[in-house]
Amino acid sequence: MSPAVSFSRVHYRIGDRSILTDISFDLYPGETLVILGRSGSGKTTALKLINALLIPSEGEVRVNGESTTQLDPIRLRRRIGYVIQDVGLFPHFNIARNVGLVPELEGWQPSRTTARVQELLDLVGLPHADFESRYPRQLSGGQKQRVGIARALAADPPLLLLDEPFGALDPVTRFELQNQFLDLTRRLNKTAVFVTHDVQEAMRLASRIAVLHQGRLELLTTPEKFKRQNEGEAAKFIATL
C-alpha cells in the first residue's frame, strides 16, 4: 500500500530559527495520525506543510506520491478537507453555501451540490431542513464545528487535516464531536491528520500518535504502546491522565 502522505527529512525554518527538524514519517490510507505536542512544538506547521500553506526549507512532503512543491496548491487544497479551531465560515453565506463552496468551485451541477450538502448536514447531526438556510451567527460553537466538518467532507476528499478543531468547546460537546469524528472517518474510510495538545483526545482518536517536541519527532507509535511509555515527552503527557 502506498502512503497517502510522506515526510522525508523535512526541515522548516524561519530565518535562523528551526521550527521543524528532520521529520520523516509515512501515513497510510484509512489511518488517523494524531500529532501531539505542546504549544510551539511545530504541530500546526507540520499540518500546513501537507496542504502547501507552507513549503519545506529542506526535504520533501508528498501527497499520494506527488511532491507538494510540484502540485498546483489550489488544486491540492481542494482535494484535502481542512478543519480549524475557529472554523472560518463565511459570515455572509448561509450554511448551505458554506458547505457547498468547494463543490461549487469544482464545477459540480447545482442539483448535485444541493444533494451533497443536505446529505452531509444530516450526517453531522444538523438536519438540513432546519440548518441550511441559517447563517453562522445563528449557530452555537459546536454547531459551527459540525458545519466545518461537513464543509471539509463536501467534495469527498480522501484526506482530512484537522487543527485542534474541538479545542474551544465545552467537554460534553467536545466528546460528542470526537465520537462523530470517529464514526465518520471509519464509515467513510477517510485518512486524517489531527493536531492536538490533549493527550486523552489523542489516545481516543488515533490509529498512531506522533509526539512532536521542540520541532522534532520524538515518538511515533500506536495508542496502546504510547500509554506504556515511561520516558521522554510521551511520559510527561501520560502523567497528566
Side-chain angles (χ1 to χ4, degrees), residues 86-99 121 126 130-148 151:
D86 63 2
V87 189
L89 300 179
F90 293 102
H92 54 293
F93 288 175
N94 65 20
I95 300 310
R97 184 84 191 281
N98 267 287
V99 174
L121 287 177
L126 300 174
D130 296 329
F131 285 91
E132 62 186 358
S133 298
R134 297 191 194 183
Y135 286 81
R137 64 181 180 274
Q138 298 172 300
L139 304 185
S140 69
Q143 289 169 340
K144 288 178 184 177
Q145 286 301 146
R146 292 174 193 270
V147 173
R151 182 177 62 181

Short mmCIF file of all heavy atoms in Angstrom, two decimals, residues 86-99 121 126 130-148 151:
data_model
loop_
_atom_site.label_atom_id
_atom_site.label_comp_id
_atom_site.label_asym_id
_atom_site.label_seq_id
_atom_site.Cartn_x
_atom_site.Cartn_y
_atom_site.Cartn_z
N ASP A 86 -11.26 27.77 14.75
CA ASP A 86 -12.26 28.84 14.66
C ASP A 86 -13.15 28.70 13.43
O ASP A 86 -13.88 29.61 13.07
CB ASP A 86 -11.59 30.22 14.70
CG ASP A 86 -10.66 30.45 13.50
OD1 ASP A 86 -10.57 29.56 12.63
OD2 ASP A 86 -10.04 31.52 13.44
N VAL A 87 -13.10 27.54 12.80
CA VAL A 87 -13.97 27.12 11.70
C VAL A 87 -13.76 27.94 10.43
O VAL A 87 -13.58 27.39 9.34
CB VAL A 87 -15.48 27.16 12.09
CG1 VAL A 87 -16.33 26.50 11.00
CG2 VAL A 87 -15.70 26.48 13.42
N GLY A 88 -13.81 29.27 10.50
CA GLY A 88 -13.59 30.10 9.32
C GLY A 88 -14.75 30.09 8.35
O GLY A 88 -14.55 30.18 7.13
N LEU A 89 -15.98 30.00 8.86
CA LEU A 89 -17.14 30.08 7.98
C LEU A 89 -17.29 31.50 7.46
O LEU A 89 -16.97 32.47 8.14
CB LEU A 89 -18.41 29.66 8.73
CG LEU A 89 -18.43 28.24 9.30
CD1 LEU A 89 -19.74 28.00 10.02
CD2 LEU A 89 -18.22 27.21 8.21
N PHE A 90 -17.81 31.61 6.23
CA PHE A 90 -18.08 32.93 5.65
C PHE A 90 -19.37 33.48 6.25
O PHE A 90 -20.44 32.90 6.05
CB PHE A 90 -18.18 32.85 4.13
CG PHE A 90 -16.88 32.49 3.47
CD1 PHE A 90 -16.66 31.19 3.01
CD2 PHE A 90 -15.88 33.44 3.31
CE1 PHE A 90 -15.46 30.85 2.39
CE2 PHE A 90 -14.68 33.11 2.70
CZ PHE A 90 -14.46 31.81 2.25
N PRO A 91 -19.30 34.59 6.98
CA PRO A 91 -20.49 35.06 7.71
C PRO A 91 -21.63 35.50 6.80
O PRO A 91 -22.79 35.47 7.22
CB PRO A 91 -19.96 36.24 8.53
CG PRO A 91 -18.72 36.69 7.82
CD PRO A 91 -18.12 35.45 7.22
N HIS A 92 -21.32 35.92 5.56
CA HIS A 92 -22.37 36.41 4.66
C HIS A 92 -22.96 35.29 3.79
O HIS A 92 -23.85 35.54 2.99
CB HIS A 92 -21.82 37.52 3.77
CG HIS A 92 -20.58 37.14 3.01
ND1 HIS A 92 -19.39 36.89 3.64
CD2 HIS A 92 -20.37 36.94 1.69
CE1 HIS A 92 -18.48 36.58 2.73
NE2 HIS A 92 -19.04 36.59 1.55
N PHE A 93 -22.45 34.05 3.94
CA PHE A 93 -23.02 32.89 3.25
C PHE A 93 -23.88 32.12 4.25
O PHE A 93 -23.50 31.97 5.42
CB PHE A 93 -21.94 31.94 2.75
CG PHE A 93 -21.15 32.42 1.57
CD1 PHE A 93 -20.08 31.68 1.10
CD2 PHE A 93 -21.48 33.59 0.90
CE1 PHE A 93 -19.34 32.10 0.01
CE2 PHE A 93 -20.75 34.03 -0.19
CZ PHE A 93 -19.67 33.27 -0.64
N ASN A 94 -25.01 31.59 3.78
CA ASN A 94 -25.76 30.71 4.67
C ASN A 94 -25.03 29.37 4.79
O ASN A 94 -24.00 29.14 4.13
CB ASN A 94 -27.22 30.56 4.21
CG ASN A 94 -27.36 29.87 2.87
OD1 ASN A 94 -26.47 29.17 2.40
ND2 ASN A 94 -28.50 30.06 2.23
N ILE A 95 -25.56 28.49 5.62
CA ILE A 95 -24.86 27.24 5.90
C ILE A 95 -24.74 26.37 4.66
O ILE A 95 -23.68 25.78 4.40
CB ILE A 95 -25.56 26.48 7.05
CG1 ILE A 95 -25.58 27.34 8.32
CG2 ILE A 95 -24.89 25.14 7.30
CD1 ILE A 95 -24.24 27.93 8.73
N ALA A 96 -25.79 26.31 3.86
CA ALA A 96 -25.74 25.51 2.63
C ALA A 96 -24.63 26.01 1.71
O ALA A 96 -23.88 25.21 1.13
CB ALA A 96 -27.09 25.54 1.93
N ARG A 97 -24.52 27.31 1.57
CA ARG A 97 -23.48 27.87 0.68
C ARG A 97 -22.09 27.65 1.25
O ARG A 97 -21.14 27.36 0.51
CB ARG A 97 -23.74 29.37 0.49
CG ARG A 97 -22.77 30.04 -0.49
CD ARG A 97 -23.23 29.87 -1.93
NE ARG A 97 -22.18 30.28 -2.85
CZ ARG A 97 -21.90 31.55 -3.18
NH1 ARG A 97 -22.61 32.54 -2.64
NH2 ARG A 97 -20.95 31.82 -4.06
N ASN A 98 -21.93 27.76 2.56
CA ASN A 98 -20.64 27.48 3.18
C ASN A 98 -20.20 26.04 2.93
O ASN A 98 -19.06 25.79 2.55
CB ASN A 98 -20.71 27.75 4.69
CG ASN A 98 -20.27 29.14 5.07
OD1 ASN A 98 -19.09 29.47 5.05
ND2 ASN A 98 -21.24 29.98 5.42
N VAL A 99 -21.11 25.10 3.12
CA VAL A 99 -20.76 23.68 2.95
C VAL A 99 -20.52 23.36 1.48
O VAL A 99 -19.60 22.60 1.15
CB VAL A 99 -21.86 22.77 3.53
CG1 VAL A 99 -21.58 21.31 3.23
CG2 VAL A 99 -21.99 22.99 5.03
N LEU A 121 -25.11 17.61 6.03
CA LEU A 121 -25.69 18.25 7.21
C LEU A 121 -26.44 17.23 8.05
O LEU A 121 -26.31 17.21 9.28
CB LEU A 121 -26.61 19.40 6.79
CG LEU A 121 -25.92 20.65 6.27
CD1 LEU A 121 -26.95 21.68 5.82
CD2 LEU A 121 -25.00 21.27 7.34
N LEU A 126 -27.00 17.91 11.88
CA LEU A 126 -27.68 19.19 11.70
C LEU A 126 -28.71 19.02 10.59
O LEU A 126 -28.41 19.20 9.42
CB LEU A 126 -26.66 20.29 11.30
CG LEU A 126 -25.53 20.58 12.27
CD1 LEU A 126 -24.55 21.57 11.65
CD2 LEU A 126 -26.07 21.11 13.59
N ASP A 130 -33.62 22.29 8.88
CA ASP A 130 -33.54 23.27 9.97
C ASP A 130 -32.34 24.20 9.85
O ASP A 130 -32.38 25.33 10.36
CB ASP A 130 -33.47 22.56 11.33
CG ASP A 130 -34.72 21.76 11.64
OD1 ASP A 130 -35.81 22.17 11.19
OD2 ASP A 130 -34.61 20.74 12.33
N PHE A 131 -31.26 23.75 9.18
CA PHE A 131 -30.00 24.48 9.28
C PHE A 131 -29.48 25.07 7.97
O PHE A 131 -28.68 26.00 8.01
CB PHE A 131 -28.91 23.58 9.88
CG PHE A 131 -29.06 23.38 11.36
CD1 PHE A 131 -29.79 22.31 11.86
CD2 PHE A 131 -28.49 24.27 12.26
CE1 PHE A 131 -29.95 22.12 13.22
CE2 PHE A 131 -28.64 24.09 13.63
CZ PHE A 131 -29.37 23.02 14.11
N GLU A 132 -29.91 24.57 6.83
CA GLU A 132 -29.24 25.01 5.60
C GLU A 132 -29.46 26.49 5.29
O GLU A 132 -28.61 27.12 4.64
CB GLU A 132 -29.68 24.14 4.41
CG GLU A 132 -31.15 24.19 4.06
CD GLU A 132 -31.51 23.20 2.96
OE1 GLU A 132 -30.60 22.51 2.45
OE2 GLU A 132 -32.70 23.12 2.61
N SER A 133 -30.53 27.07 5.76
CA SER A 133 -30.80 28.49 5.48
C SER A 133 -30.30 29.43 6.58
O SER A 133 -30.39 30.65 6.43
CB SER A 133 -32.30 28.70 5.27
OG SER A 133 -32.77 27.97 4.16
N ARG A 134 -29.78 28.88 7.66
CA ARG A 134 -29.26 29.73 8.73
C ARG A 134 -27.90 30.32 8.35
O ARG A 134 -27.26 29.88 7.39
CB ARG A 134 -29.12 28.93 10.03
CG ARG A 134 -30.44 28.41 10.58
CD ARG A 134 -30.24 27.88 11.99
NE ARG A 134 -31.38 27.08 12.42
CZ ARG A 134 -31.51 26.55 13.62
NH1 ARG A 134 -30.55 26.72 14.53
NH2 ARG A 134 -32.56 25.82 13.94
N TYR A 135 -27.46 31.28 9.14
CA TYR A 135 -26.16 31.91 8.95
C TYR A 135 -25.27 31.58 10.16
O TYR A 135 -25.78 31.25 11.23
CB TYR A 135 -26.31 33.42 8.77
CG TYR A 135 -26.86 33.78 7.41
CD1 TYR A 135 -28.23 33.71 7.15
CD2 TYR A 135 -26.00 34.13 6.37
CE1 TYR A 135 -28.74 34.00 5.89
CE2 TYR A 135 -26.50 34.42 5.10
CZ TYR A 135 -27.87 34.35 4.87
OH TYR A 135 -28.36 34.63 3.62
N PRO A 136 -23.95 31.64 9.99
CA PRO A 136 -23.05 31.26 11.09
C PRO A 136 -23.36 31.94 12.41
O PRO A 136 -23.22 31.33 13.47
CB PRO A 136 -21.67 31.65 10.54
CG PRO A 136 -21.80 31.45 9.07
CD PRO A 136 -23.20 31.91 8.74
N ARG A 137 -23.78 33.19 12.37
CA ARG A 137 -24.06 33.92 13.61
C ARG A 137 -25.22 33.31 14.39
O ARG A 137 -25.39 33.60 15.59
CB ARG A 137 -24.37 35.39 13.31
CG ARG A 137 -25.64 35.60 12.50
CD ARG A 137 -25.90 37.07 12.22
NE ARG A 137 -27.13 37.26 11.44
CZ ARG A 137 -27.19 37.21 10.12
NH1 ARG A 137 -26.08 36.97 9.41
NH2 ARG A 137 -28.34 37.39 9.49
N GLN A 138 -26.01 32.47 13.74
CA GLN A 138 -27.17 31.87 14.39
C GLN A 138 -26.85 30.49 14.99
O GLN A 138 -27.75 29.83 15.50
CB GLN A 138 -28.31 31.73 13.37
CG GLN A 138 -28.79 33.06 12.83
CD GLN A 138 -29.78 32.89 11.69
OE1 GLN A 138 -29.47 32.31 10.65
NE2 GLN A 138 -31.00 33.39 11.89
N LEU A 139 -25.58 30.09 14.95
CA LEU A 139 -25.18 28.77 15.42
C LEU A 139 -24.35 28.85 16.69
O LEU A 139 -23.63 29.83 16.92
CB LEU A 139 -24.37 28.03 14.35
CG LEU A 139 -25.00 27.86 12.97
CD1 LEU A 139 -24.10 27.00 12.10
CD2 LEU A 139 -26.40 27.25 13.06
N SER A 140 -24.39 27.78 17.48
CA SER A 140 -23.50 27.65 18.63
C SER A 140 -22.12 27.24 18.15
O SER A 140 -21.92 26.86 16.98
CB SER A 140 -24.05 26.59 19.59
OG SER A 140 -23.95 25.30 19.00
N GLY A 141 -21.15 27.25 19.08
CA GLY A 141 -19.80 26.84 18.72
C GLY A 141 -19.74 25.41 18.22
O GLY A 141 -19.08 25.11 17.22
N GLY A 142 -20.44 24.51 18.91
CA GLY A 142 -20.46 23.12 18.48
C GLY A 142 -21.11 22.92 17.13
O GLY A 142 -20.67 22.10 16.32
N GLN A 143 -22.18 23.67 16.87
CA GLN A 143 -22.84 23.58 15.57
C GLN A 143 -21.93 24.09 14.46
O GLN A 143 -21.88 23.52 13.37
CB GLN A 143 -24.15 24.36 15.60
CG GLN A 143 -25.22 23.70 16.44
CD GLN A 143 -26.43 24.59 16.69
OE1 GLN A 143 -26.35 25.82 16.56
NE2 GLN A 143 -27.55 23.99 17.08
N LYS A 144 -21.19 25.17 14.73
CA LYS A 144 -20.25 25.68 13.72
C LYS A 144 -19.18 24.64 13.40
O LYS A 144 -18.80 24.47 12.24
CB LYS A 144 -19.60 26.97 14.22
CG LYS A 144 -20.52 28.17 14.25
CD LYS A 144 -19.80 29.39 14.82
CE LYS A 144 -20.74 30.58 14.95
NZ LYS A 144 -20.06 31.74 15.56
N GLN A 145 -18.69 23.94 14.43
CA GLN A 145 -17.68 22.92 14.17
C GLN A 145 -18.25 21.78 13.33
O GLN A 145 -17.57 21.22 12.48
CB GLN A 145 -17.12 22.37 15.47
CG GLN A 145 -16.18 23.33 16.19
CD GLN A 145 -14.96 23.73 15.37
OE1 GLN A 145 -14.47 24.84 15.47
NE2 GLN A 145 -14.44 22.84 14.54
N ARG A 146 -19.51 21.43 13.56
CA ARG A 146 -20.15 20.40 12.74
C ARG A 146 -20.24 20.86 11.28
O ARG A 146 -20.01 20.07 10.35
CB ARG A 146 -21.54 20.07 13.28
CG ARG A 146 -21.53 19.38 14.63
CD ARG A 146 -22.94 19.21 15.19
NE ARG A 146 -22.92 18.81 16.58
CZ ARG A 146 -22.90 17.56 17.02
NH1 ARG A 146 -22.91 16.57 16.15
NH2 ARG A 146 -22.87 17.29 18.31
N VAL A 147 -20.56 22.13 11.09
CA VAL A 147 -20.59 22.69 9.72
C VAL A 147 -19.20 22.62 9.11
O VAL A 147 -19.03 22.29 7.94
CB VAL A 147 -21.13 24.13 9.72
CG1 VAL A 147 -21.00 24.75 8.32
CG2 VAL A 147 -22.59 24.16 10.17
N GLY A 148 -18.17 22.94 9.93
CA GLY A 148 -16.81 22.87 9.43
C GLY A 148 -16.43 21.48 8.97
O GLY A 148 -15.76 21.31 7.93
N ARG A 151 -18.26 20.83 5.70
CA ARG A 151 -17.60 21.54 4.60
C ARG A 151 -16.33 20.81 4.16
O ARG A 151 -16.05 20.69 2.97
CB ARG A 151 -17.27 22.96 5.02
CG ARG A 151 -16.64 23.80 3.91
CD ARG A 151 -16.39 25.22 4.34
NE ARG A 151 -15.46 25.30 5.46
CZ ARG A 151 -15.10 26.44 6.03
NH1 ARG A 151 -15.61 27.59 5.60
NH2 ARG A 151 -14.25 26.44 7.04
#
